[in-house]
Amino acid sequence: MAQWTSAVGAAQLARQLSSQQDRPAGPGSRRPPAYRALADGIRLLVLEGRVPVAARLPAERELALALSVSRTTVAAAYETLRTEGFLESRRGAGSWTAVPAGNPLPARGLEPLPPEALGSMIDLGTAALPAPEPWLTRAVQGALEELPPYAHTHGDYPAGLPALRAMIADRYTALGIPTMPEQIMVTTGAMGAIDAICHLFGGRGERIAVESPSYANILQLMREAGARLVPVAMAEGLTGWDVDRWRQVLREAAPRIAYVVADFHNPTGALADEDQRRRLVEAARSAGTVLVVDETMSELHLDPGVEMPRRVCGFDPAGSTVITVGSASKAFWAGMRIGWVRAAPDVIRSLVAARAYADLGTPVLEQLAVNWLFGTGGWEQAVELRRAQARDNRDALVAAVRRELPAWEFEVPRGGLTLWVRTGGLSGSRLAELGERVGVRVPSGPRFGVDGAFEGYVRLPFTVTGAVAEEAAIRLAAAARLVESGASGGGESPRTFVA
């Protein structure tokens, strides 16, 4: 059986390799032999996640024609990559990308620091902000006033409180996407929603297509469920998805589920446009793939004049192809563990039935608090406060990183909570390891990839501002100098978690 899960065409690979020629060479660098340059180029594409791990490469003759080089050059490059562990081959199955054995991949991100540790360590691991007061307190007070009638019941509502289900359905309807309460299930956060969906649709060994990079915790959740992840590289910059690549993967790998973040993608901040959304829904429907869309960042547009595209489920209003996941955790507060699923009524019934063997239901008091926010206009005011906080934090962090680490590259997203940074050729894993020595915690790029991609990246969330953002950048610069000097991290990395 072949070990590859997607394929890269010769013309596509040639385009990606040619784009690397725009990057300036280092001072005093010498031009390597052609086969070596080709091998280095392919390896870099794999490490940056632009060519997924376990992607079948073109045959030697095809790639030679596309690059206008000899077949001998391509054969030598492929052999070099095999020797280095970046390529595997089997007669009759072709050659596919890999990462070298013996390098354990990070499975988790950064565990939130306990409050007492925040004085000595700057935590850039979790993309979460403090609660937007006074709205949290007001919401809890409003929930307590509504609680007495529910206290006389058993308190188990596997589908969610009827009032909150109706409120969420009305909010979708107000966006021009007619929705019934029967299409809504309230969950314990977005993670709880996606966990339930994966168990319903993605059994052990099932293929799940994911963006590359993608949200670290969801990737780990899927790994632990026994899924086979099929990475699909994002388009260049913050332009969303490469839909042609998605169509190819859906057709060839036939994944049961595809997981995407269309709105201010975590970690890149990309915003998929309306045409991309329409075409991806059409591709998923044609392939028979269930498209799971994470909307947890959808309300966090930070710049004036950002026009938000139509929600992805708007191109599949009946919910036969698209399952939407939303949450209060990013737009409001991470401690408010309320999420929801919007899907076809039969899918909701199946999810609710399966819930009897999981968590039975979501806490009533928190559901009442979110329902109070939605019903009083408090949600809109709290989210506007959250946008202002995130905007100020983003601008401070961007300015500080540009000043202290001018070789690091990134594009400034117009929304979301994260900055995806190329670290000037430094190892993101080493930066994460050595960063803790100088008092800053940051998740490395490989945590957001599949099988070792994105070693040259880190994710920086918009969680600190002002003098703290400046100090964070200074400490990151100190960590970068340690990496460049070849310093040893010392000790074992802690068990970690990324929000």
Side-chain angles (χ1 to χ4, degrees):
M1 180 178 177
Q3 300 298 306
W4 51 271
T5 56
S6 61
V8 180
Q12 175 187 344
L13 184 56
R15 285 195 301 272
Q16 290 177 288
L17 289 165
S18 67
S19 70
Q20 295 177 339
Q21 297 174 1
D22 298 332
R23 298 185 184 181
S29 59
R30 300 168 61 183
R31 183 182 297 275
Y35 81 90
R36 181 76 255 182
L38 176 55
D40 289 347
I42 294 174
R43 184 180 64 251
L44 180 60
L45 290 173
V46 172
L47 289 174
E48 290 190 346
R50 296 173 62 199
V51 169
V53 175
R56 185 179 61 177
L57 294 185
E60 295 171 2
R61 188 184 304 276
E62 294 177 46
L63 186 57
L65 288 172
L67 295 174
S68 300
V69 299
S70 71
R71 183 177 176 181
T72 303
T73 296
V74 176
Y78 278 14
E79 181 58 33
T80 298
L81 291 168
R82 276 189 288 268
T83 301
E84 295 174 347
F86 286 93
L87 196 68
E88 296 181 11
S89 303
R90 181 180 298 170
R91 186 178 298 277
S95 299
W96 56 92
T97 56
V99 291
N103 296 319
L105 302 174
R108 301 184 184 274
L110 288 173
E111 194 170 58
L113 284 173
E116 62 270 17
L118 293 176
S120 59
M121 183 77 70
I122 298 176
D123 186 8
L124 296 181
T126 57
L129 292 164
E133 288 286 35
W135 296 106
L136 175 61
T137 298
R138 292 180 182 177
V140 173
Q141 291 171 342
L144 287 171
E145 293 175 3
E146 299 293 330
L147 182 61
Y150 295 95
H152 295 293
T153 73
H154 50 63
D156 288 334
Y157 296 87
L161 294 183
L164 181 55
R165 296 177 72 195
M167 186 70 74
I168 295 170
D170 288 346
R171 290 174 67 83
Y172 279 105
T173 299
L175 292 171
I177 307 165
T179 303
M180 304 179 295
E182 292 79 8
Q183 291 179 264
I184 301 296
M185 180 177 83
V186 180
T187 63
T188 307
M191 290 289 288
I194 294 171
D195 182 55
I197 293 166
C198 287
H199 279 89
L200 181 63
F201 289 98
R204 185 164 294 276
E206 200 75 63
R207 289 179 176 178
I208 300 180
V210 295
E211 296 151 328
S212 184
S214 187
Y215 179 31
N217 288 339
I218 296 300
L219 295 180
Q220 185 61 19
L221 182 156
M222 293 173 175
R223 289 186 187 103
E224 293 185 355
R228 299 173 60 193
L229 301 183
V230 182
V232 186
M234 299 287 289
E236 289 292 311
L238 300 180
T239 55
W241 304 315
D242 183 335
V243 180
D244 290 336
R245 187 174 296 179
W246 268 100
R247 185 178 292 109
Q248 179 186 12
V249 169
L250 295 179
R251 182 178 62 249
E252 295 179 353
R256 184 70 182 92
I257 301 174
Y259 168 76
V260 296
V261 184
D263 302 303
F264 307 120
H265 173 262
N266 185 355
T268 69
L271 178 64
D273 64 34
E274 198 156 296
D275 182 61
Q276 290 173 334
R277 297 168 189 237
R278 179 186 296 106
R279 292 167 59 206
L280 185 56
V281 171
E282 292 170 353
R285 184 182 295 119
S286 177
T289 297
V290 175
L291 191 62
V292 180
V293 181
D294 184 334
E295 288 188 342
T296 53
M297 297 282 189
S298 62
E299 297 194 56
L300 291 176
H301 44 88
L302 305 183
D303 291 340
V306 176
E307 292 189 15
M308 293 300 295
R310 184 173 174 81
R311 301 287 180 94
V312 178
C313 58
F315 301 101
D316 178 50
S320 58
T321 297
V322 176
I323 297 179
T324 302
V325 173
S327 171
S329 297
K330 294 298 185 185
F332 186 75
W333 184 48
M336 187 68 77
R337 305 306 303 164
I338 298 295
W340 53 86
V341 178
R342 182 198 180 277
D346 63 315
V347 173
I348 295 297
R349 286 193 294 269
S350 297
L351 289 170
V352 171
R355 195 173 194 181
Y357 308 101
D359 63 353
L360 294 177
T362 302
V364 169
L365 187 63
E366 293 185 25
Q367 291 187 72
L368 289 172
V370 172
N371 195 59
W372 183 92
L373 287 166
F374 284 158
T376 62
W379 176 267
E380 285 71 23
Q381 295 183 65
V383 170
E384 188 56 45
L385 177 59
R386 169 65 77 237
R387 292 188 190 114
Q389 291 173 324
R391 184 185 309 116
D392 290 345
N393 289 3
R394 180 198 62 183
D395 295 347
L397 186 63
V398 164
V401 172
R402 282 178 170 164
R403 181 178 61 253
E404 299 295 333
L405 293 150
W408 288 18
E409 303 173 59
F410 54 85
E411 292 187 54
V412 181
R414 304 188 69 188
L417 290 171
T418 57
L419 197 66
W420 185 236
V421 181
R422 180 184 283 139
T423 56
L426 301 181
S427 163
S429 298
R430 295 284 291 152
L431 283 165
E433 181 183 9
L434 293 170
E436 298 205 25
R437 283 179 49 180
V438 295
V440 61
R441 302 184 87 199
V442 58
S444 62
R447 301 187 186 281
F448 304 89
V450 176
D451 296 332
F454 305 110
E455 182 56 56
Y457 288 80
V458 294
R459 189 195 73 169
L460 305 180
F462 311 147
T463 53
V464 294
T465 191
V468 181
E470 294 177 8
E471 180 62 25
I474 290 170
R475 295 184 187 187
L476 283 171
R481 289 192 293 272
L482 287 175
V483 174
E484 290 171 337
S485 70
S488 171
E492 185 176 340
S493 297
R495 184 177 182 275
T496 50
F497 177 87
V498 169

